[in-house]
Amino acid sequence: MLHGRDKVRRAEPAGAPCVEALEPRLLLSTTYVVDSLDDVVAADGYVTLREALQAANTDAAVFDAPAGGGAATSQFDPSLPYNPSLPGGKIMLDAGLGELVISSDVEIIGPGQGLLTIDAGRNSRLFSIGSSLTVSMSGMTLTRGNGNDGGYGGAIYIGPRSVVAISDSTFDDNSTSGTASGGAIAVDREGVGVGGAQLTVTDCTFVGNVTNRGGGAIHTNGDLFVSGSLFTHNQGESGGAIKINDAPNSVVILDSTFTNNTSTGA
């Protein structure tokens, strides 16, 4: 949550989890309550995750998602059927719309990794995060993202100089193809040893993510902090679980388990 600044909130149910876009230079923030699991951009009386992110990115209204006021929060209505074993417990990304783009500071707060799944159906990456942003994400499962045609990061691409924190989330069965690295997450840089992003991973699970290049789960060109996380059955040419590029970066791994990850390189 935000501290030391005012908030402009839409009416929301008590205890709803949330997705926030954060802008430290501005005093106001906007909270979006995501009350649809559809992946559409339409005037239908509901706010989808894609609409909330587009409104946060542009500070302009996107149908039922109001114009942002600087920082923005998108949160999920707890009345949605989150149980992934039930119909509607999943956001299935529209193949024609592609990945979800984040180009402003944002916080996305899901209800829990066992309660909400976002599935790309192997048609695209799930999230693309731009450069020089502050982003946090929690409480969801990201699955079947695919960095097609050399797209780095099967589930999430993080642009140079961004600071990203991910917690209480599962990355399952994501992949990249061709020369792309980072089966689940790829952390980019501006140049060799310059402008790398920073990634913090807390209480997450990475399982069954695959790349033909480096980092079955994570490939980083920047600082990496991992705690309380599980890496299992991930596969990469170098770094079955994690590939650290451009050393020396700051890398800290605490209280985490690595099991049955495979490096296929000679």
Side-chain angles (χ1 to χ4, degrees):
M1 304 303 294
L2 297 178
H3 299 281
R5 63 183 83 145
D6 295 327
K7 283 195 169 188
V8 177
R9 288 183 177 269
R10 295 187 62 189
E12 61 186 78
C18 64
V19 178
E20 292 195 8
L22 308 177
E23 178 47 76
R25 294 167 293 178
L26 300 173
L27 296 179
L28 299 180
S29 67
T30 302
T31 298
Y32 300 94
V33 178
V34 176
D35 54 6
S36 171
L37 294 176
D38 292 333
D39 184 31
V40 298
V41 179
D44 56 6
Y46 296 97
V47 176
T48 66
L49 178 57
R50 189 179 295 274
E51 289 169 342
L53 289 174
Q54 287 187 7
N57 290 340
T58 61
D59 284 341
V62 178
F63 294 112
D64 298 289
T73 300
S74 300
Q75 70 182 39
F76 291 87
D77 184 336
S79 67
L80 293 173
Y82 289 120
N83 187 332
S85 68
L86 299 175
K90 176 185 296 185
I91 297 175
M92 190 76 197
L93 294 190
D94 185 298
L97 297 176
E99 65 191 12
L100 296 165
V101 175
I102 296 174
S103 60
S104 66
D105 293 351
V106 65
E107 182 176 10
I108 304 175
I109 304 176
Q113 57 190 313
L115 298 175
L116 176 66
T117 297
I118 305 178
D119 186 340
R122 306 194 193 284
N123 295 305
S124 69
R125 187 191 291 122
L126 286 134
F127 289 94
S128 178
I129 299 172
S131 302
S132 302
L133 301 175
T134 299
V135 174
S136 66
M137 304 172 67
S138 64
M140 64 191 72
T141 290
L142 303 182
T143 188
R144 297 201 301 166
N146 189 351
N148 291 312
D149 300 321
Y152 290 88
I156 300 176
Y157 166 81
I158 300 172
R161 298 190 183 276
S162 285
V163 177
V164 176
I166 303 172
S167 62
D168 184 34
S169 294
T170 292
F171 294 80
D172 175 32
D173 193 20
N174 300 287
S175 61
T176 61
S177 59
T179 60
S181 55
I185 302 174
V187 180
D188 210 351
R189 64 187 179 188
E190 289 181 344
V192 177
V194 178
Q198 176 181 303
L199 173 63
T200 299
V201 174
T202 306
D203 297 331
C204 289
T205 296
F206 294 81
V207 57
N209 302 288
V210 177
T211 180
N212 293 327
R213 301 302 294 269
I218 299 172
H219 182 277
T220 181
N221 288 291
D223 295 339
L224 177 64
F225 306 93
V226 177
S227 65
S229 295
L230 170 65
F231 295 78
T232 184
H233 293 95
N234 302 288
Q235 179 178 298
E237 180 185 44
S238 57
I242 298 174
K243 172 66 180 292
I244 300 163
N245 207 19
D246 283 354
N249 293 311
S250 179
V251 178
V252 177
I253 301 176
L254 300 172
D255 301 322
S256 296
T257 299
F258 294 78
T259 180
N260 295 313
N261 301 289
T262 303
S263 179
T264 61

